[in-house]
């Protein structure tokens, strides 16, 4: 799992083999006590960070016991009654939960089909530009929306496409039919995809551009000399070069399929209604933080967390099986 | 790279039609990003006359005015929220950077005492992010509700940023450390005098990532803080997306007040400007491969 593992052993082995003399203060593994004293400053440096992970990650993780309890705020977390798996049974028997699951998967699938290829296409277009200045300019502009908050993105879409927004004002002035995009459950899913494309398609090109720039220029040259036209070069040189990264990203996206833009959904849930916009995360928010049903919400959240972790794990396994690098080793 | 900015000799001359199609695609991409901004900025500077004349929307204000901005900065909700956001961003970024540097630096040592298990425990949190409900209950039990600490402490270190920085520290040549150690420098001195000055690019990227995430945060503000403590993005959410009236602008006679649309757009601009201002600095580093190198590792 550790990204470090391989280089760690590699490096240490190399240092041992070369038989370097001990540098004062560091060097070969001494007794525990010696190492502890040697690393005292480093351990002090990392203490605040470690404390953070202990409290806000592992502390929070421990708080998941609430999913097995009938939480009464007055009694507190530890004094509340254990109820076994009652909360989970309630969640799994709840139509609203399954509706949220279906919505989540549906949106994730739509994103996979309609969003995923767009950055790839844009990256190819950018990569094919021969003038660097043009490419940099387009890149700079296209990355920008990634850094705007979802609040701003949703507000911009609302202002431009809303009932009294720019588009409808223009259409109205031209005596054309106005369109009903914002707050319309039928149009919601395409709208969500459009927002994701607007916000993140530029940013998504980064990783593809990195892969494209790694392709050896000589391969193109050799192919061209052998008479391969642009399409054949694309098919036989470019595609094989970026296949690993495309496969990796696809698999990782599948592993993360239970998360689809919580903030984006929550911001628009009120205007289109839960029927169209409820995903697992917004259901947890609604049931737990709005209605105060902490046991149900924590159980739904934990269920999602565990299944999500298993999916990421499985996705990595598949990636390795296919001979690709996963997110971790 | 072959001849900078030119077409390699082996590549055939592109067909005019292909060139045209590419040009159109690029132009559309750029316009789709920039035109919404232009309209929003223009509307925020528009006078009431412009707004009425344009049917609510302005591409280019004929009679530009700062009235909307004056109104939102004249104390009141937006002015306060702006201070909250600025404060949380500055304090949060400083705290996050300090803690991330300390942890990343210690973990970049391959033979650190206890380094391996700590790293594994941290990477595991990537697989299993903290849940919303237990997070809320923890923050509540720590008496952080309605305190700005609640917007910083639970988000102090981002695992991705940590991995980026640790990778960068590890990429520095080992000889550097050895030379400093032979000169008798302790860890603290090495970090401050040798490592940090060499890591400016990585620190800039990570710092700006933190700053952007603190500036953009709104959800946890909405559940941890009451409306007197809200940062700008949450105010923007309520008044622009939610469509609520800004209490302090609805007073007074209608003629003297800027159109609500103008005010909303001005709030939107104020929330966006800091991002657009820091963006060129951030952008400079993307091309340098600081990130792509880290992502790959």
């Amino acid at each position: 799992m550790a990204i470090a593992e391989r280089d760690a052993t590699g490096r240490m082995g190399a240092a041992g083999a070369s038989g370097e003399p001990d540098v004062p203060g560091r060097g070969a593994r001494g007794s525990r006590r010696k190492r502890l004293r040697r690393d005292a400053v480093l351990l002090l440096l990392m203490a605040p960070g470690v404390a953070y992970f202990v409290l806000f990650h592992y502390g929070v993780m421990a708080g998941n016991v609430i999913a097995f309890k009938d939480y009464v705020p007055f009694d507190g977390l530890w004094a509340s009654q254990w109820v076994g798996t009652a909360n989970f049974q309630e969640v799994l028997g709840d139509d609203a939960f399954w509706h949220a699951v279906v919505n989540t998967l549906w949106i994730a699938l739509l994103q996979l089909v309609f969003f995923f290829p767009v950055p790839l296409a844009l990256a190819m277009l950018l990569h094919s530009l021969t003038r660097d200045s043009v490419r940099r300019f387009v890149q700079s502009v296209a990355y920008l929306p990634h850094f705007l908050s979802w609040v701003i993105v949703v507000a911009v879409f609302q202002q431009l496409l809303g009932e009294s927004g720019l588009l409808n004002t223009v259409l109205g002035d031209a005596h054309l039919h106005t369109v009903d995009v914002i707050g319309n459950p039928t149009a919601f899913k395409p709208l969500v995809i459009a927002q994701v494309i607007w916000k993140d398609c530029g940013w998504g090109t980064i990783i593809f551009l990195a892969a494209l720039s790694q392709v050896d220029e000589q391969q193109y040259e050799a192919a061209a000399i052998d008479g391969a036209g642009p399409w054949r070069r694309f098919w036989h040189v470019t595609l094989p070069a970026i296949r690993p990264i495309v496969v990796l990203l696809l698999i990782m996206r599948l592993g993360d399929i239970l998360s689809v833009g919580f903030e984006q959904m929550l911001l628009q849930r009120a205007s289109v209604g839960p029927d169209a916009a409820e995903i697992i995360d917004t259901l947890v928010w609604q049931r737990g933080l709005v209605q105060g049903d902490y046991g149900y919400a924590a159980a739904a959240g934990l269920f999602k967390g565990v299944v999500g972790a298993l999916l990421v794990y499985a996705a990595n396994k598949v990636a390795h099986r296919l001979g690709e690098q996963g997110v971790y080793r | 790279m072959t001849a900078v900015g030119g077409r390699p000799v082996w590549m055939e001359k592109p067909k005019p039609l292909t060139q045209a199609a590419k040009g159109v695609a690029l132009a559309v991409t750029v316009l789709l990003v920039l035109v919404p901004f232009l309209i929003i900025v223009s509307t925020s500077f528009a006078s009431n006359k412009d707004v009425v004349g344009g049917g609510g929307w302005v591409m280019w204000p004929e009679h530009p005015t700062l009235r909307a901005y004056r109104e939102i900065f004249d104390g009141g909700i937006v002015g306060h929220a702006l201070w909250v956001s600025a404060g949380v961003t500055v304090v949060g970024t400083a705290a996050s950077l300090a803690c991330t540097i300390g942890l990343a630096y210690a973990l970049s040592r391959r033979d650190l005492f206890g380094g391996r298990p700590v790293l594994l425990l941290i990477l595991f949190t990537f697989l299993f992010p903290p849940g919303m409900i237990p997070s809320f209950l923890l923050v509540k039990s720590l008496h952080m509700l309605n305190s700005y600490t609640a917007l910083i402490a639970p988000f102090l270190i981002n695992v991705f940023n940590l991995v980026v920085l640790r990778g960068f520290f590890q990429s520095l040549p080992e000889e550097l450390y050895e030379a400093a150690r032979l000169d008798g420098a302790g860890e603290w001195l090495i970090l401050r005098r040798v490592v940090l000055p060499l890591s400016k690019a990585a620190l800039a990227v990570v710092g700006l990532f933190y700053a952007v995430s603190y500036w953009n945060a709104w959800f946890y503000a909405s559940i941890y803080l009451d409306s007197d403590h809200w940062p700008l993005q949450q105010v923007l959410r309520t008044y622009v997306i939610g469509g609520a009236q800004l209490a302090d602008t609805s007073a007074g006679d209608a003629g003297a007040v800027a159109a609500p649309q103008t005010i909303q757009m001005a709030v939107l601009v104020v929330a966006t400007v800091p991002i657009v201002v820091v963006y060129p600095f951030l952008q400079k580093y993307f091309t340098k491969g600081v990130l792509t190198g880290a992502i790959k590792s």
Side-chain angles (χ1 to χ4, degrees):
Chain A
M1 167 172 214
I3 293 165
E5 253 169 291
R6 253 187 33 175
D7 8 0
T9 44
R11 270 292 178 97
M12 269 154 56
S18 66
E20 272 175 309
D22 274 6
V23 178
R26 300 201 63 92
R29 308 169 77 91
S31 71
R32 286 172 70 93
R33 200 128 162 228
K34 232 169 159 180
R35 291 178 66 213
L36 194 60
R37 184 169 307 162
R38 183 199 64 187
D39 290 343
V41 178
L42 290 174
L43 294 174
L44 209 65
L45 274 174
M46 75 176 198
V50 172
Y52 161 76
F53 278 99
V54 168
L55 186 59
F56 285 104
H57 284 265
Y58 285 90
V60 167
M61 225 179 272
N64 274 314
V65 294
I66 189 185
F68 303 93
K69 290 193 166 206
D70 178 21
Y71 180 72
V72 181
F74 183 76
D75 292 344
L77 181 54
W78 302 110
S80 293
Q81 288 284 318
W82 289 100
V83 291
T85 57
N87 288 323
F88 290 92
Q89 283 167 19
E90 192 192 339
V91 168
L92 298 180
D94 185 3
D95 288 343
F97 175 74
W98 291 111
H99 178 75
V101 170
V102 169
N103 254 345
T104 307
L105 293 177
W106 187 222
I107 292 170
L109 187 74
L110 288 174
Q111 283 191 5
L112 211 55
V113 174
F114 293 103
F115 169 69
F116 189 83
V118 183
L120 182 56
L122 184 58
M124 301 241 180
L125 176 61
L126 287 171
H127 188 71
S128 76
L129 297 181
T130 39
R131 215 176 307 162
D132 274 352
S133 55
V134 176
R135 201 190 58 214
R136 280 218 199 95
F137 172 72
V138 179
Q139 262 176 296
S140 303
V141 171
Y143 290 170
L144 177 64
H146 172 76
F147 295 96
L148 304 177
S149 71
W150 270 113
V151 175
I152 291 176
V153 175
V154 170
V156 167
F157 269 77
Q158 216 176 50
Q159 298 298 327
L160 297 184
L161 306 179
E163 199 185 340
S164 57
L166 177 74
L167 181 64
N168 279 331
T169 310
V170 172
L171 290 175
D173 286 352
H175 302 289
L176 294 168
H177 261 295
T178 53
V179 290
D180 180 19
V181 184
I182 304 290
N184 175 1
T186 336
F188 184 62
K189 286 187 174 88
L191 176 70
V192 164
I193 305 297
Q195 289 166 341
V196 173
I197 291 177
W198 191 77
K199 189 174 194 287
D200 277 329
C201 118
W203 184 248
T205 60
I206 285 190
I207 198 154
F208 293 125
L209 282 172
L212 287 169
S213 70
Q214 302 261 305
V215 183
D216 190 354
E217 197 82 6
Q218 290 181 356
Q219 286 192 25
Y220 286 117
E221 195 174 348
I225 289 166
D226 287 347
W231 281 110
R232 303 208 60 160
R233 289 203 300 272
F234 171 76
W235 192 256
H236 292 291
V237 182
T238 311
L239 266 191
I242 58 168
R243 192 188 53 98
I245 196 72
V246 173
V247 172
L248 174 67
L249 288 179
L250 261 178
I251 291 171
M252 289 302 111
R253 184 67 197 99
L254 284 174
D256 201 27
I257 204 160
L258 293 183
S259 303
V260 282
F262 166 62
E263 294 194 346
Q264 185 191 9
M265 295 301 149
L266 186 57
L267 287 168
Q268 302 177 87
R269 188 178 175 278
S271 85
V272 292
D275 237 19
E278 194 86 288
I279 56 170
I280 304 174
D281 291 324
T282 56
L283 181 73
V284 170
W285 168 81
Q286 165 72 20
R287 294 297 287 264
L289 298 175
V290 178
Q291 297 177 0
D293 190 351
Y294 292 106
Y296 176 101
L302 183 59
F303 182 81
K304 184 210 155 196
V306 170
V307 175
L310 290 176
L311 282 175
V312 175
Y313 181 77
N316 257 288
K317 274 271 175 295
V318 173
H320 295 161
R321 195 58 58 80
L322 293 176
E324 316 285 358
Q325 289 183 3
V327 170
Y328 55 80
R329 252 170 273 216
Chain B
M1 280 279 150
T2 35
V4 180
R7 180 164 46 85
V9 276
W10 48 263
M11 198 183 274
E12 47 286 272
K13 219 172 163 164
K15 290 189 195 107
L17 200 64
T18 327
Q19 284 297 82
K22 272 188 196 174
V24 169
L26 291 173
V28 167
T29 309
V30 170
L31 290 179
L32 277 179
V33 175
L34 292 186
V35 167
F37 285 111
L38 174 68
I39 292 166
I40 285 159
V41 172
S42 299
T43 308
S44 77
F45 285 113
S47 66
N48 289 4
K49 213 163 142 196
D50 292 329
V51 174
V52 173
W57 296 95
V58 184
M59 272 295 251
W60 195 254
E62 299 271 310
H63 319 277
T65 163
L66 286 171
R67 191 154 65 186
Y69 291 92
R70 229 174 282 134
E71 273 176 43
I72 61 176
F73 282 116
D74 261 359
I77 299 168
V78 178
H80 181 257
L82 190 60
W83 279 111
V84 171
S85 285
V88 167
T89 303
V90 170
V91 175
T93 305
S96 287
L97 262 184
C99 293
T100 310
I101 290 171
L103 191 54
Y105 181 63
L107 290 176
S108 72
R109 293 311 176 75
R110 299 165 208 279
D111 57 346
L112 178 77
F113 182 80
R116 185 73 63 81
V118 169
L119 184 67
L120 286 178
L121 284 175
I122 288 172
L123 291 177
F124 179 71
T125 65
F126 206 65
L127 209 62
F128 197 85
M132 192 190 306
I133 302 298
S135 296
F136 174 79
L137 293 177
L138 179 69
V139 166
K140 193 173 156 204
S141 72
L142 292 171
H143 302 288
M144 280 189 194
L145 292 186
N146 283 328
S147 133
Y148 297 123
T149 325
L151 297 187
I152 296 174
F155 314 100
L156 198 56
I157 297 180
N158 174 297
V159 178
F160 176 78
N161 289 342
L162 178 74
V163 170
V164 167
L165 212 52
R166 175 176 169 274
F168 189 87
F169 289 156
Q170 283 186 334
S171 73
L172 296 175
E174 195 71 23
E175 294 78 32
L176 223 67
Y177 294 93
E178 278 160 23
R181 247 175 251 130
L182 282 172
D183 287 343
E187 291 296 348
W188 178 234
L189 208 62
I190 297 180
L191 175 63
R192 265 184 41 216
R193 289 286 166 78
V194 181
V195 174
L196 291 187
L198 286 173
S199 312
K200 279 191 197 127
L203 291 175
V205 170
V206 168
L208 285 164
F209 273 169
Y210 275 128
V212 168
S213 75
Y214 281 119
W215 179 262
N216 281 345
W218 60 272
F219 171 67
Y220 283 98
S222 78
I223 63 173
Y224 292 155
L225 307 180
D226 61 31
S227 55
D228 291 340
H229 294 82
W230 278 351
L232 192 55
Q233 301 282 343
Q234 173 62 12
V235 168
L236 183 65
R237 176 204 181 188
T238 322
Y239 295 103
V240 180
I241 298 182
Q245 278 273 313
L246 278 165
D248 49 339
T249 55
S250 54
D253 62 311
V257 179
Q261 209 143 28
T262 317
I263 304 244
Q264 286 187 347
M265 292 309 99
V267 180
L268 200 58
V269 170
V270 171
T272 314
V273 158
I275 302 284
V276 177
V277 169
V278 298
Y279 181 67
F281 298 99
L282 194 60
Q283 162 67 20
K284 201 171 67 183
Y285 294 111
F286 294 150
T287 41
K288 284 195 182 167
V290 173
L291 280 169
T292 44
I295 289 167
K296 262 181 252 142
S297 63

